[in-house]
Amino acid sequence: MRHLIFIISIISTSIYAQEITGIVYSNGEPLPYTNIYLKNTSKGTSADENGHFRIKNVEPGKYTIIASFTGFKSATKKIHIKEQPIAVTFELQESEMLDEVVITGTLKAVSRLESPVPVEVYSPIFLKKNPTPNIFEALQNVNGVRPQINCNVCNTGDIHINGLEGPYTLVLIDGMPIVSGLSTVYGLSGIPNSLIEQIEIVKGPASSLYGSEAVGGLINIITKLPEHAPIVFADSYVTGWGEYNLDLGFKASVSPKTSLLFGINYFNYNNPIDNNNDNFTDLTLQNRISVFQKWDFQRESNRLFSIAGRFFYEDRWGGEMQWTPEYRGGNEIYGESIYTKRYELLGKYQLPVSEKMLLQFSYTDHNQNSVYGDMPYLATQRIGFTQLTWDKSLNNHDLLLGTAARYNFYDDNTPATVHADEIIIPSLFIQDEINFSERQNLLVGARYDYDKRHGNIFTPRIAYKFKPTKDNIFRVNAGTGFRVVNLFTEEHAALTGARDVIIKDELKPERSYNINFNYLTKLYTKSGFIFGLDASAWYTYFTNMISPDYDTNPNQIIYDNLDGKAVSKGISFNIDTLFPNGIKLLAGATFQDVSQTEHGITQKQMLTESFTGTWAATYKNYKYHILIDYTGNLYGPMRLPLLGDLDPRLPESPVWSIQNIQFTYDGLNQFEIYAGIKNLLNWTPNKGNPFIIARAHDPFDENVEFDNNGDVIPTQENPYALTFDPSYVYGPNQGRRLFFGLRYTLN
């Protein structure tokens, strides 16, 4: 009887099952190879070369059918299948992929296409292609941007843009400069990816709007408005090395006019690994928690008012494998232990006046308790920032006027900081964007800062945009940048365990002069091929550049204003391509020459690659709900800091690459399962080198002999005349590992 019922049910299903047919258009032309699928089912197909599609054996019922094609806006229709076949027609519109709203380049919310300043935009989808525990690591797949690890032991680092070192990069959250030299890596850690609306990157000086530190470029992390965030989200993954990362959050309506966005990031790695057999941890052990919340208040006339805050705490250590906290600060077992506690507050308030005036503010308190071997580094940094802008349109002029004030407090226990550094820097700035026509506009701007240590600082800029067609844009930007330097950031202090920091003279502010050419285009074909190109060429000239000298004395880092010039020049290309078979490719390449000339001698800047390549290839099989992401980067040679002529380590890094692959299944309602392999090639910097950390067996230099000038004497025990030095680093020591994760999103 059971078999009879089963046979009858199969026959009845085959009788009543129907098919869905249709065609997909775009701009009146058939759109081939579009993905068509029924939501929450395994039924799906792809359109043929003429845009036609057919889904067979669909049981009667109500469905949601979706047409999706990368580069176009997805279309959704409700259908009800009864006893007759059904035909569906879709008309897909080109997506606004090049038309994202950006604010970084001009301090205004404008279309990326209309901005006279080129801005690169990266969404949370980009971050998901290679899941990382922080944004710092995620930027490794952005062309022209490189996370630089500055210490083999503690793994702290900074962000290089177009070959310029981390102190030249300004990091902002929601437009507020809450991060500076002491804490770049911490400002880019602990923000759950699900809370990020987008990441905006400007390459080149932006000091005319953002002041000191925005010399090489800036990174602006835009967090979501509560109304745009999911109701609940969770994302957690583990790796084969024992790393564990958790992002968790929710949004809530506290009252009819008040909404809250809350997120927690927790990261833990507590599994010492020494694959290169130097008795030092290959990866710093970490225990980190970050709590973020953002309050949004509804006001009359939709005026803005939001406040956000974040608390960050981290305990990290690296060192000899047998190190435990009881050895912290001693000279028996070498370890670098860092306790970091950080508070951040930022907000924006639109004044209740008829004019468009916006008050923004931020405050950070950063406390660091670190030891490097037996050398303590205790530092406190407080930064307060407030800014008032007036946005005014007059005929074809779009004006922005503003005033800002920045409060800096810095103190540490190093001999160079005899007194705490405390200063207030007031600023004025003005910007005028002149719209000559729909095709061209001109932006002129200037900023004035007063620093009592250095006097008046003036930074002008000019930008011209020409748009001959809707899909072709030419931009020219020129301007100046400046940077007031505080050398004693964590990364430099981390090296004092091996090298002394020497300041020869009173340091003057750095100045730079920059010009940038940019071309942006997009091409669509009837065959379904889409091609986008973003190309740039730049030239930056530095005066008064402050450069670390590793070469004069291997036991010292000598800082002084360069008696000469420094130049950064190069070209970069980003392509965004969609093939008819559904494969999407984001790829970029940068070729650069960053050099310094002093006393007639020109040499390449230390730790600066000559070329970079990045890629992210994606393929989505809609029928089986499988997404494949293949990401990677490629770096050219860079000059490395050796300890002398006898140092046997490579003077230049080889060409190296880190590649990753990820598989994601999203066929479950509200859940995504993902897994993959990081560092497929198992590349680490010790390959081809006799060692990475110099004298890892003698971290306190107990068996090193010096002459009367303080230079190391070669001995039988120390034939290369080395001291303990963990600063020879240009890439991560972490090899191949598997990862597995689960995401949950309730919208």
Side-chain angles (χ1 to χ4, degrees):
M1 186 66 181
R2 289 180 181 176
H3 295 290
L4 179 61
I5 294 175
F6 178 71
I7 294 172
I8 293 174
S9 65
I10 292 178
I11 295 174
S12 62
T13 299
S14 63
I15 293 174
Y16 291 105
Q18 301 296 337
E19 67 177 21
I20 304 171
T21 61
I23 187 170
V24 184
Y25 292 99
S26 176
N27 295 324
E29 298 287 340
L31 185 63
Y33 310 115
T34 304
N35 292 292
I36 315 294
Y37 61 101
L38 301 179
K39 187 177 181 181
N40 298 327
T41 75
S42 60
K43 296 286 185 180
T45 188
S46 295
D48 62 20
E49 63 273 12
N50 297 313
H52 294 277
F53 66 88
R54 183 186 304 272
I55 303 176
K56 299 180 179 179
N57 299 323
V58 181
E59 296 182 11
K62 295 181 179 180
Y63 297 92
T64 298
I65 186 170
I66 300 174
S68 175
F69 195 71
T70 306
F72 292 79
K73 296 179 180 179
S74 297
T76 302
K77 290 188 176 183
K78 302 286 187 180
I79 58 174
H80 188 187
I81 298 178
K82 297 180 180 178
E83 298 179 0
Q84 298 295 329
I86 187 170
V88 181
T89 300
F90 286 103
E91 177 75 27
L92 298 191
Q93 304 295 323
E94 295 175 4
S95 78
E96 299 176 356
M97 199 154 102
L98 292 177
D99 202 28
E100 304 100 331
V101 172
V102 299
I103 67 168
T104 301
T106 61
L107 277 181
K108 294 184 177 186
V110 298
S111 158
R112 183 187 175 202
L113 287 177
E114 301 306 322
S115 172
V117 178
V119 181
E120 295 182 14
V121 180
Y122 298 91
S123 70
I125 295 176
F126 178 83
L127 301 178
K128 287 182 178 180
K129 294 178 184 296
N130 177 33
T132 60
N134 52 55
I135 300 172
F136 177 81
E137 292 184 30
L139 294 175
Q140 65 183 285
N141 288 324
V142 176
N143 182 31
V145 177
R146 184 170 69 87
Q148 167 66 38
I149 297 175
N150 292 319
C151 177
N152 267 307
V153 180
C154 62
N155 286 171
T156 56
D158 53 33
I159 300 295
H160 290 202
I161 294 182
N162 285 348
L164 296 179
E165 295 183 329
Y168 298 96
T169 300
L170 180 64
V171 180
L172 309 99
I173 297 181
D174 289 336
M176 288 290 94
I178 66 167
V179 181
S180 66
L182 180 64
S183 48
T184 297
V185 68
Y186 301 107
L188 292 172
S189 298
I191 301 177
N193 290 347
S194 299
L195 294 182
I196 296 173
E197 183 72 27
Q198 62 191 39
I199 298 174
E200 300 174 1
I201 299 177
V202 175
K203 299 173 181 176
S207 296
S208 62
L209 277 184
Y210 293 95
S212 180
E213 295 172 350
V215 176
L218 59 91
I219 299 170
N220 191 6
I221 302 166
I222 309 294
T223 60
K224 290 181 182 293
L225 295 173
E227 56 264 33
H228 295 165
I231 298 173
V232 178
F233 66 88
D235 187 349
S236 180
Y237 74 86
V238 296
T239 74
W241 275 47
E243 299 162 285
Y244 174 74
N245 186 76
L246 171 66
D247 286 345
L248 185 65
F250 65 88
K251 71 175 181 181
S253 295
V254 181
S255 71
K257 294 187 176 182
T258 305
S259 55
L260 167 67
L261 183 62
F262 182 87
I264 294 177
N265 170 258
Y266 176 71
F267 177 77
N268 181 272
Y269 171 66
N270 192 31
N271 181 33
I273 292 177
D274 178 26
N275 286 338
N276 60 11
N277 299 315
D278 60 3
N279 195 42
F280 270 71
T281 53
D282 290 347
L283 180 65
T284 303
L285 285 80
Q286 301 173 56
N287 190 25
R288 178 178 72 233
I289 187 167
S290 175
V291 181
F292 177 91
Q293 54 180 303
K294 185 175 184 178
W295 295 76
D296 194 56
F297 304 92
Q298 295 184 15
R299 300 171 59 213
E300 294 182 1
S301 304
N302 292 320
R303 291 190 177 96
L304 297 174
F305 182 29
S306 66
I307 297 177
R310 187 166 75 115
F311 169 74
F312 177 98
Y313 177 79
E314 183 182 66
D315 175 2
R316 69 162 62 196
W317 76 269
E320 295 187 84
M321 293 290 288
Q322 64 271 33
W323 188 91
T324 59
E326 67 188 50
Y327 294 106
R328 191 176 196 267
N331 58 5
E332 297 179 53
I333 305 296
Y334 187 89
E336 297 184 0
S337 171
I338 304 171
Y339 302 148
T340 303
K341 187 182 297 182
R342 181 176 176 86
Y343 303 90
E344 300 170 354
L345 177 69
L346 61 149
K348 57 181 66 176
Y349 178 78
Q350 188 174 347
L351 301 186
V353 295
S354 57
E355 298 292 339
K356 191 174 181 180
M357 302 183 74
L358 183 65
L359 177 67
Q360 295 172 282
F361 56 89
S362 67
Y363 177 77
T364 64
D365 187 296
H366 186 104
N367 182 270
Q368 191 140 319
N369 181 331
S370 310
V371 292
Y372 302 93
D374 57 358
M375 181 171 292
Y377 173 71
L378 310 175
T380 299
Q381 184 179 52
R382 304 186 190 102
I383 298 178
F385 184 85
T386 184
Q387 176 175 277
L388 178 64
T389 58
W390 178 25
D391 190 348
K392 182 70 175 178
S393 296
L394 294 172
N395 300 322
N396 65 330
H397 293 266
D398 195 358
L399 293 166
L400 181 74
L401 298 92
T403 181
R406 178 167 174 166
Y407 167 76
N408 282 359
F409 174 88
Y410 177 82
D411 193 19
D412 66 25
N413 66 318
T414 65
T417 311
V418 178
H419 304 287
D421 180 19
E422 187 172 17
I423 192 171
I424 296 177
I425 303 176
S427 310
L428 296 171
F429 56 90
I430 184 171
Q431 176 180 278
D432 183 13
E433 187 173 350
I434 308 166
N435 296 301
F436 297 114
S437 66
E438 291 185 0
R439 293 188 173 186
Q440 51 184 327
N441 62 357
L442 178 71
L443 181 145
V444 291
R447 181 184 178 104
Y448 167 77
D449 294 80
Y450 177 74
D451 187 322
K452 67 181 181 180
R453 300 166 297 184
H454 307 293
N456 303 314
I457 302 173
F458 179 69
T459 49
R461 77 163 171 173
I462 185 170
Y464 172 73
K465 178 177 71 72
F466 176 56
K467 188 178 178 183
T469 68
K470 69 173 185 176
D471 293 323
N472 290 274
I473 302 172
F474 295 89
R475 296 183 177 98
V476 180
N477 280 257
T480 63
F482 79 97
R483 186 169 73 98
V484 178
V485 181
N486 182 352
L487 289 179
F488 293 94
T489 60
E490 177 200 345
E491 61 209 12
H492 299 132
L495 302 179
T496 59
R499 299 176 183 243
D500 294 326
V501 175
I502 305 297
I503 301 176
K504 294 187 65 174
D505 300 302
E506 183 178 351
L507 300 177
K508 301 176 183 178
E510 296 182 343
R511 299 300 302 258
S512 69
Y513 304 88
N514 173 272
I515 186 167
N516 178 289
F517 299 91
N518 177 259
Y519 173 61
L520 188 70
T521 188
K522 192 119 185 179
L523 173 68
Y524 300 87
T525 67
K526 293 182 179 180
S527 65
F529 180 78
I530 301 175
F531 176 81
L533 172 67
D534 186 346
S536 294
W538 78 90
Y539 181 90
T540 305
Y541 182 95
F542 286 91
T543 63
N544 290 339
M545 187 175 191
I546 298 172
S547 176
D549 177 2
Y550 292 86
D551 301 323
T552 300
N553 188 328
N555 299 312
Q556 297 176 340
I557 307 176
I558 303 171
Y559 287 92
D560 195 6
N561 285 110
L562 192 68
D563 184 14
K565 66 178 182 179
V567 172
S568 171
K569 57 186 177 182
I571 57 175
S572 68
F573 304 91
N574 287 312
I575 61 170
D576 182 356
T577 305
L578 178 67
F579 296 92
N581 59 9
I583 295 177
K584 179 178 174 60
L585 174 65
L586 298 172
T590 297
F591 300 88
Q592 61 192 13
D593 181 9
V594 184
S595 63
Q596 300 173 7
T597 302
E598 189 169 24
H599 307 306
I601 300 175
T602 299
Q603 63 178 356
K604 291 184 178 181
Q605 179 174 282
M606 191 81 71
L607 295 171
T608 302
E609 66 278 11
S610 55
F611 64 85
T612 304
T614 59
W615 65 86
T618 301
Y619 174 72
K620 177 69 181 286
N621 185 304
Y622 286 88
K623 182 176 181 180
Y624 296 104
H625 305 282
I626 297 294
L627 180 70
I628 304 173
D629 289 297
Y630 171 49
T631 59
N633 51 51
L634 179 71
Y635 295 112
M638 62 184 76
R639 195 165 68 92
L640 301 174
L642 298 180
L643 291 180
D645 295 336
L646 298 178
D647 195 329
R649 294 175 293 183
L650 296 175
E652 278 197 342
S653 65
V655 176
W656 54 283
S657 174
I658 293 181
Q659 303 175 24
N660 320 283
I661 192 166
Q662 174 183 254
F663 301 89
T664 304
Y665 177 75
D666 60 2
L668 302 174
N669 190 27
Q670 300 168 348
F671 284 93
E672 289 183 358
I673 301 173
Y674 59 94
I677 304 173
K678 289 179 178 288
N679 198 354
L680 278 166
L681 304 180
N682 198 31
W683 177 88
T684 54
N686 62 292
K687 294 184 177 180
N689 264 310
F691 50 83
I692 295 295
I693 299 177
R695 293 191 65 80
H697 65 282
D698 185 20
F700 295 100
D701 290 337
E702 294 177 350
N703 298 314
V704 177
E705 297 183 20
F706 300 87
D707 62 19
N708 294 331
N709 296 322
D711 297 324
V712 182
I713 301 172
T715 63
Q716 184 175 1
E717 196 276 338
N718 186 15
Y720 303 124
L722 304 178
T723 57
F724 172 70
D725 180 29
S727 64
Y728 182 94
V729 57
Y730 57 94
N733 283 320
Q734 195 175 15
R736 184 187 299 121
R737 65 250 185 229
L738 300 172
F739 66 92
F740 176 82
L742 178 68
R743 295 188 186 100
Y744 172 77
T745 304
L746 177 62
N747 292 306

